[in-house]
């Protein structure tokens, strides 16, 4: 089974930027979708962004559109999340995740990606505070 390892989290001031990385243990080019969800203790997980590595199609939550960008380096089996204009409400543990084939059963978007999660990493903590 594929393993995912996240890195890049930390403390940043509001308006600042961070880039998260997720390295997979195998090729990601043939994956249906790989992306990120975030979770705060006591709250439901929230899909953030995902991408189809081969097609390059991207999907974003409304709350991060225009601020976050997801992209891959397929040669390095790595997916990135560039986060700009960070807000305190972005504070969460960010998990990298892969969707299974059930993602094909419905219209592909970030909501259906969240429902089709197969595996995910341990996460990296992002704290946005002054």
């Amino acid at each position: 089974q594929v393993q995912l390892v996240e890195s890049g989290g930390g403390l940043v001031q509001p308006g600042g930027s961070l880039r998260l990385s997720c390295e997979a243990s195998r090729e990601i080019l043939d994956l249906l979708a790989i992306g990120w969800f975030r979770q705060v203790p006591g709250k439901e997980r929230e899909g953030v962004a995902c991408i189809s590595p081969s097609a390059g199609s991207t999907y974003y939550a409304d709350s991060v559109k225009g601020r976050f960008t997801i992209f891959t380096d397929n040669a390095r089996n790595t997916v990135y999340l560039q986060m700009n204009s960070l807000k305190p409400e972005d504070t969460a543990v960010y998990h990298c995740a892969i969707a299974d084939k059930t993602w094909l059963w419905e219209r592909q978007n970030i909501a259906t990606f969240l429902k089709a999660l197969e595996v995910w990493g341990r996460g990296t903590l992002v704290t946005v505070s002054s």
Side-chain angles (χ1 to χ4, degrees):
Q1 181 66 274
V2 61
Q3 297 180 22
L4 304 171
V5 180
E6 305 95 333
S7 62
L11 175 64
V12 64
Q13 295 184 351
S17 298
L18 283 175
R19 179 178 291 182
L20 305 184
S21 299
C22 170
E23 184 176 356
S25 61
R26 72 167 183 85
E27 290 186 346
I28 65 172
L29 187 61
D30 61 345
L31 295 174
L32 291 175
I34 185 169
W36 300 84
F37 70 87
R38 62 189 182 186
Q39 189 159 31
V40 176
K43 295 185 178 180
E44 297 294 324
R45 60 182 56 171
E46 177 187 14
V48 177
C50 66
I51 184 171
S52 297
S54 60
S57 303
T58 57
Y59 309 85
Y60 296 93
D62 289 341
S63 60
V64 306
K65 286 181 179 178
R67 299 189 298 120
F68 291 10
T69 303
I70 187 170
F71 60 98
T72 62
D73 185 338
N74 294 333
R76 294 180 181 273
N77 300 325
T78 301
V79 61
Y80 302 93
L81 185 68
Q82 178 66 46
M83 305 185 295
N84 299 326
S85 302
L86 283 162
K87 304 175 180 179
E89 50 263 45
D90 294 317
T91 296
V93 175
Y94 285 70
H95 298 266
C96 181
I98 294 172
D100 62 31
K101 64 182 180 181
T102 62
W103 194 55
L104 299 175
W105 296 358
E106 299 185 61
R107 186 181 306 277
Q108 287 77 56
N109 54 48
I110 191 64
T112 55
F113 172 81
L114 187 63
K115 295 179 180 180
L117 300 181
E118 181 180 26
V119 296
W120 53 88
R122 298 175 69 89
T124 184
L125 176 63
V126 172
T127 303
V128 184
S129 177
S130 59

